[in-house]
Coordinates of all heavy atoms in Angstrom, one line a residue:
A32 N 11.4 17.3 -8.8 CA 11.1 18.4 -9.8 C 10.9 19.7 -9.1 O 10.2 19.7 -8.0 CB 9.9 18.0 -10.7
S33 N 11.3 20.8 -9.7 CA 11.1 22.1 -9.1 C 10.0 22.8 -9.8 O 9.9 22.7 -11.0 CB 12.4 22.9 -9.0 OG 12.9 23.1 -10.3
S34 N 9.3 23.6 -9.1 CA 8.3 24.3 -9.8 C 8.9 25.8 -10.1 O 9.4 26.4 -9.3 CB 7.1 24.5 -8.8 OG 6.1 25.3 -9.4
T35 N 8.5 26.1 -11.4 CA 9.0 27.5 -11.8 C 7.8 28.2 -12.4 O 6.9 27.6 -13.1 CB 10.1 27.4 -12.8 OG1 9.6 26.6 -13.9 CG2 11.4 26.8 -12.3
P36 N 7.7 29.4 -12.2 CA 6.5 30.2 -12.7 C 6.7 30.3 -14.3 O 7.7 30.5 -14.8 CB 6.6 31.6 -12.2 CG 8.0 31.8 -11.8 CD 8.6 30.4 -11.4
S37 N 5.6 30.0 -15.0 CA 5.6 30.1 -16.5 C 5.4 31.7 -16.8 O 4.7 32.3 -16.2 CB 4.6 29.2 -17.1 OG 3.3 29.5 -16.6
V38 N 6.0 32.0 -17.9 CA 5.9 33.3 -18.4 C 5.2 33.3 -19.7 O 5.5 32.6 -20.6 CB 7.4 34.0 -18.6 CG1 7.3 35.3 -19.2 CG2 8.2 33.9 -17.4
S39 N 4.1 34.2 -19.8 CA 3.4 34.3 -21.0 C 4.2 34.9 -22.1 O 5.1 35.7 -21.8 CB 2.2 35.1 -20.9 OG 2.4 36.5 -20.7
P40 N 4.1 34.6 -23.4 CA 4.9 35.1 -24.5 C 4.8 36.6 -24.6 O 5.8 37.2 -24.9 CB 4.2 34.4 -25.8 CG 3.5 33.2 -25.3 CD 3.1 33.5 -23.9
T41 N 3.6 37.2 -24.2 CA 3.6 38.7 -24.3 C 4.4 39.3 -23.2 O 4.8 40.4 -23.3 CB 2.1 39.2 -24.2 OG1 1.5 38.6 -23.1 CG2 1.3 38.6 -25.4
A42 N 4.6 38.6 -22.1 CA 5.4 39.2 -21.0 C 6.9 39.0 -21.2 O 7.6 39.6 -20.4 CB 4.9 38.7 -19.6
A43 N 7.2 38.2 -22.0 CA 8.7 37.8 -22.3 C 9.4 39.1 -22.8 O 8.8 39.8 -23.5 CB 8.8 36.7 -23.1
A44 N 10.7 39.2 -22.5 CA 11.5 40.2 -23.0 C 11.6 40.1 -24.5 O 11.9 39.1 -25.0 CB 12.8 40.3 -22.3
V45 N 11.6 41.3 -25.2 CA 11.9 41.2 -26.6 C 13.4 41.3 -26.8 O 14.1 42.0 -26.2 CB 11.3 42.5 -27.3 CG1 11.7 42.7 -28.7 CG2 9.7 42.5 -27.1
T46 N 13.8 40.4 -27.7 CA 15.3 40.4 -28.0 C 15.5 41.1 -29.3 O 14.9 40.7 -30.3 CB 15.8 38.9 -28.1 OG1 15.6 38.4 -26.8 CG2 17.3 38.9 -28.4
V47 N 16.4 42.1 -29.3 CA 16.8 42.8 -30.5 C 18.2 42.2 -30.9 O 19.0 42.1 -30.0 CB 16.9 44.3 -30.4 CG1 17.4 44.9 -31.6 CG2 15.5 44.9 -30.0
R48 N 18.2 41.7 -32.0 CA 19.6 41.1 -32.5 C 19.8 41.5 -33.9 O 19.1 42.1 -34.6 CB 19.5 39.5 -32.3 CG 18.4 39.0 -33.2 CD 18.4 37.5 -33.0 NE 17.3 36.7 -33.8 CZ 17.4 36.4 -35.1 NH1 18.6 36.5 -35.7 NH2 16.4 35.7 -35.6
T49 N 21.0 41.2 -34.3 CA 21.5 41.5 -35.7 C 21.2 40.2 -36.6 O 21.3 39.1 -36.1 CB 22.9 41.9 -35.8 OG1 23.7 41.0 -35.2 CG2 23.1 43.2 -35.0
A50 N 21.0 40.6 -37.9 CA 21.0 39.4 -38.9 C 21.2 40.0 -40.3 O 20.9 41.2 -40.6 CB 19.6 38.9 -38.8
P51 N 21.7 39.2 -41.1 CA 21.9 39.7 -42.5 C 20.5 39.6 -43.3 O 19.7 38.8 -43.0 CB 22.8 38.6 -43.0 CG 22.6 37.3 -42.3 CD 22.2 37.8 -40.9
A52 N 20.4 40.6 -44.2 CA 19.1 40.7 -44.9 C 19.4 41.5 -46.1 O 20.4 42.3 -46.2 CB 18.1 41.4 -44.1
T53 N 18.7 41.3 -47.2 CA 18.8 42.0 -48.4 C 17.9 43.2 -48.4 O 16.8 43.2 -48.2 CB 18.3 41.1 -49.7 OG1 19.2 39.9 -49.6 CG2 18.6 41.8 -50.9
V54 N 18.7 44.4 -48.4 CA 18.1 45.7 -48.5 C 18.5 46.4 -49.7 O 19.7 46.6 -49.9 CB 18.5 46.5 -47.2 CG1 17.8 47.8 -47.2 CG2 18.1 45.8 -45.9
A55 N 17.6 46.8 -50.5 CA 17.8 47.6 -51.8 C 18.8 46.8 -52.6 O 19.8 47.4 -53.2 CB 18.4 49.0 -51.4
G56 N 18.7 45.5 -52.7 CA 19.6 44.6 -53.5 C 20.9 44.2 -53.0 O 21.7 43.6 -53.6
R57 N 21.2 44.7 -51.8 CA 22.5 44.4 -51.2 C 22.3 43.6 -49.7 O 21.3 44.0 -49.0 CB 23.3 45.7 -50.8 CG 23.7 46.4 -52.0 CD 24.5 47.5 -51.8 NE 24.1 48.4 -50.7 CZ 24.7 49.6 -50.4 NH1 25.6 50.0 -51.0 NH2 24.2 50.1 -49.3
T58 N 23.2 42.7 -49.5 CA 23.1 42.0 -48.1 C 23.7 43.0 -47.1 O 24.9 43.4 -47.3 CB 23.8 40.8 -48.2 OG1 23.1 39.9 -49.2 CG2 23.7 40.1 -46.9
E59 N 22.9 43.3 -46.1 CA 23.4 44.1 -45.0 C 23.1 43.6 -43.7 O 22.2 42.7 -43.5 CB 22.7 45.6 -45.1 CG 23.0 46.2 -46.4 CD 24.4 46.8 -46.5 OE1 25.0 47.1 -45.5 OE2 24.8 46.9 -47.7
T60 N 23.8 44.0 -42.6 CA 23.4 43.6 -41.3 C 22.4 44.6 -40.8 O 22.7 45.8 -40.7 CB 24.7 43.6 -40.4 OG1 25.6 42.6 -40.9 CG2 24.3 43.1 -39.0
I61 N 21.3 44.1 -40.3 CA 20.1 44.9 -39.8 C 19.8 44.5 -38.4 O 20.2 43.3 -38.0 CB 19.0 44.9 -40.7 CG1 18.3 43.5 -40.8 CG2 19.3 45.4 -42.1 CD1 16.9 43.5 -41.5
L62 N 18.8 45.2 -37.8 CA 18.3 44.8 -36.5 C 17.0 44.0 -36.8 O 16.3 44.5 -37.6 CB 18.0 46.0 -35.6 CG 19.3 46.8 -35.2 CD1 18.8 48.0 -34.3 CD2 20.3 46.0 -34.5
V63 N 16.8 42.9 -36.0 CA 15.6 42.2 -36.2 C 15.0 41.8 -34.8 O 15.8 41.9 -33.8 CB 15.8 40.9 -36.9 CG1 16.2 41.1 -38.4 CG2 16.8 40.0 -36.3
N64 N 13.8 41.5 -34.7 CA 13.3 41.0 -33.4 C 13.5 39.6 -33.2 O 14.2 38.9 -34.0 CB 11.7 41.4 -33.3 CG 10.8 40.6 -34.3 OD1 11.3 39.7 -34.9 ND2 9.7 41.0 -34.3
A65 N 13.0 39.1 -32.1 CA 13.3 37.7 -31.7 C 12.7 36.7 -32.7 O 13.2 35.5 -32.9 CB 12.5 37.3 -30.3
H66 N 11.8 37.1 -33.6 CA 11.1 36.3 -34.7 C 11.9 36.4 -36.0 O 11.5 35.9 -37.0 CB 9.6 36.5 -34.8 CG 8.9 36.2 -33.5 ND1 8.8 35.1 -32.9 CD2 8.4 37.2 -32.6 CE1 8.1 35.2 -31.8 NE2 7.9 36.5 -31.6
G67 N 12.9 37.3 -36.1 CA 13.7 37.5 -37.3 C 13.0 38.6 -38.3 O 13.5 38.8 -39.2
H68 N 12.0 39.3 -37.7 CA 11.3 40.3 -38.5 C 12.2 41.6 -38.4 O 12.7 42.0 -37.4 CB 9.9 40.6 -38.0 CG 8.9 39.5 -38.2 ND1 8.4 38.9 -37.1 CD2 8.6 38.9 -39.3 CE1 7.6 37.9 -37.6 NE2 7.7 37.8 -38.9
P69 N 12.4 42.2 -39.6 CA 13.3 43.5 -39.6 C 12.7 44.6 -38.7 O 11.4 44.7 -38.6 CB 13.3 43.9 -41.0 CG 12.8 42.7 -41.8 CD 12.0 41.9 -40.9
L70 N 13.6 45.4 -38.1 CA 13.1 46.5 -37.3 C 13.3 47.8 -38.0 O 14.3 47.8 -38.8 CB 13.8 46.5 -35.9 CG 13.5 45.3 -35.1 CD1 14.3 45.3 -33.8 CD2 12.1 45.0 -34.9
Y71 N 12.4 48.7 -37.9 CA 12.5 50.0 -38.6 C 12.4 51.1 -37.6 O 11.9 51.0 -36.5 CB 11.3 50.1 -39.6 CG 11.3 49.1 -40.6 CD1 10.7 47.8 -40.4 CD2 11.7 49.4 -41.9 CE1 10.6 47.0 -41.5 CE2 11.7 48.5 -43.0 CZ 11.1 47.3 -42.7 OH 11.1 46.4 -43.7
F72 N 12.9 52.4 -38.1 CA 12.7 53.5 -37.3 C 11.9 54.5 -38.3 O 11.9 54.4 -39.5 CB 14.0 54.2 -36.8 CG 14.9 54.7 -37.9 CD1 14.9 56.1 -38.3 CD2 15.8 54.0 -38.6 CE1 15.6 56.7 -39.2 CE2 16.7 54.4 -39.7 CZ 16.5 55.8 -40.0
Y73 N 11.2 55.4 -37.7 CA 10.4 56.4 -38.3 C 11.1 57.8 -38.3 O 11.4 58.3 -37.1 CB 9.0 56.5 -37.7 CG 8.0 57.4 -38.3 CD1 7.7 57.2 -39.6 CD2 7.3 58.3 -37.6 CE1 6.7 58.0 -40.3 CE2 6.3 59.1 -38.2 CZ 6.0 58.9 -39.5 OH 5.0 59.7 -40.1
R74 N 11.5 58.4 -39.4 CA 12.2 59.6 -39.5 C 11.7 60.7 -38.6 O 12.4 61.4 -37.9 CB 12.6 60.0 -40.8 CG 14.0 60.2 -41.1 CD 14.4 60.4 -42.4 NE 14.0 61.7 -42.9 CZ 14.0 62.1 -44.2 NH1 14.2 61.2 -45.1 NH2 13.8 63.3 -44.6
P75 N 10.4 61.0 -38.6 CA 9.9 62.0 -37.8 C 9.9 61.8 -36.3 O 9.8 62.9 -35.5 CB 8.4 62.3 -38.3 CG 8.4 61.6 -39.7 CD 9.4 60.5 -39.6
D76 N 10.1 60.7 -35.7 CA 10.1 60.5 -34.3 C 11.2 61.2 -33.7 O 12.3 61.6 -34.3 CB 10.3 59.0 -34.0 CG 9.0 58.1 -34.2 OD1 7.9 58.8 -34.3 OD2 9.2 56.9 -34.2
T77 N 11.1 61.5 -32.4 CA 12.2 62.1 -31.5 C 12.5 61.1 -30.5 O 11.9 60.0 -30.4 CB 11.7 63.4 -30.8 OG1 10.7 63.1 -29.8 CG2 11.1 64.4 -31.9
A78 N 13.6 61.4 -29.8 CA 14.0 60.4 -28.7 C 13.0 60.4 -27.6 O 13.0 59.5 -26.8 CB 15.4 60.9 -28.2
A79 N 12.1 61.4 -27.5 CA 11.2 61.6 -26.4 C 9.7 61.2 -26.9 O 8.8 61.2 -26.0 CB 11.2 63.0 -25.9
R80 N 9.5 61.0 -28.2 CA 8.1 60.9 -28.7 C 8.0 60.1 -30.0 O 8.7 60.3 -30.9 CB 7.5 62.3 -28.9 CG 6.1 62.2 -29.3 CD 5.3 63.5 -29.4 NE 3.9 63.3 -29.8 CZ 3.3 64.3 -30.3 NH1 3.8 65.5 -30.4 NH2 2.0 64.1 -30.6
S81 N 7.1 59.1 -30.0 CA 6.7 58.4 -31.2 C 5.6 59.1 -31.8 O 4.6 59.5 -31.2 CB 6.4 57.0 -30.9 OG 5.8 56.4 -32.0
F82 N 5.7 59.3 -33.2 CA 4.5 59.9 -33.8 C 3.7 58.9 -34.6 O 2.8 59.2 -35.4 CB 5.0 61.0 -34.8 CG 5.5 62.2 -34.1 CD1 6.9 62.4 -34.0 CD2 4.7 63.2 -33.7 CE1 7.4 63.6 -33.3 CE2 5.2 64.3 -33.0 CZ 6.6 64.4 -32.8
V83 N 4.0 57.6 -34.4 CA 3.3 56.5 -35.1 C 2.1 56.0 -34.1 O 2.3 55.4 -33.1 CB 4.3 55.3 -35.3 CG1 3.5 54.2 -36.0 CG2 5.3 55.8 -36.1
T84 N 0.9 56.3 -34.4 CA -0.3 56.0 -33.7 C -1.4 55.7 -34.7 O -1.3 55.7 -35.9 CB -0.8 57.2 -32.8 OG1 -1.0 58.3 -33.7 CG2 0.3 57.7 -31.8
G85 N -2.6 55.2 -34.1 CA -3.6 54.9 -34.9 C -3.5 54.0 -36.0 O -2.9 52.9 -35.9
S86 N -4.1 54.3 -37.2 CA -3.9 53.4 -38.3 C -2.5 53.1 -38.9 O -2.1 52.1 -39.3 CB -4.8 53.8 -39.5 OG -4.5 55.1 -39.9
L87 N -1.7 54.2 -38.6 CA -0.2 54.1 -38.9 C 0.5 53.0 -38.1 O 1.2 52.2 -38.5 CB 0.5 55.4 -38.8 CG 1.9 55.4 -39.3 CD1 2.0 55.1 -40.9 CD2 2.6 56.8 -39.1
A88 N 0.1 53.0 -36.8 CA 0.6 51.9 -35.9 C 0.1 50.5 -36.2 O 0.6 49.5 -35.8 CB 0.3 52.3 -34.5
Q89 N -1.1 50.4 -36.8 CA -1.5 49.0 -37.3 C -0.7 48.5 -38.3 O -0.4 47.4 -38.4 CB -3.1 49.2 -37.7 CG -4.0 49.4 -36.5 CD -5.4 49.6 -36.9 OE1 -5.8 49.6 -38.1 NE2 -6.2 49.7 -36.0
L90 N -0.3 49.4 -39.3 CA 0.6 49.0 -40.4 C 2.1 48.8 -39.9 O 2.8 48.0 -40.5 CB 0.5 50.0 -41.5 CG 1.2 49.6 -42.9 CD1 0.7 48.4 -43.4 CD2 1.0 50.8 -43.9
W91 N 2.5 49.7 -39.0 CA 3.8 49.7 -38.5 C 3.7 49.5 -37.0 O 3.9 50.4 -36.2 CB 4.5 51.0 -38.8 CG 4.7 51.2 -40.2 CD1 3.8 51.9 -41.1 CD2 5.7 50.8 -41.0 NE1 4.3 52.0 -42.4 CE2 5.5 51.2 -42.4 CE3 7.0 50.1 -40.9 CZ2 6.3 51.0 -43.5 CZ3 7.8 49.9 -41.8 CH2 7.5 50.4 -43.1
P92 N 3.5 48.2 -36.5 CA 3.4 48.0 -35.0 C 4.6 48.3 -34.3 O 5.7 48.0 -34.6 CB 3.1 46.5 -35.0 CG 2.7 46.1 -36.3 CD 3.4 47.0 -37.3

Side-chain angles (χ1 to χ4, degrees):
S33 63
S34 177
T35 57
S37 57
V38 178
S39 72
T41 56
V45 171
T46 299
V47 174
R48 61 182 176 87
T49 59
T53 302
V54 181
R57 296 187 314 190
T58 300
E59 299 291 333
T60 299
I61 65 167
L62 299 179
V63 299
N64 67 10
H66 303 289
H68 295 118
L70 299 179
Y71 297 86
F72 70 95
Y73 185 55
R74 228 166 83 199
D76 282 349
T77 69
R80 182 173 179 201
S81 167
F82 289 98
V83 179
T84 60
S86 60
L87 189 59
Q89 290 177 355
L90 187 59
W91 298 92

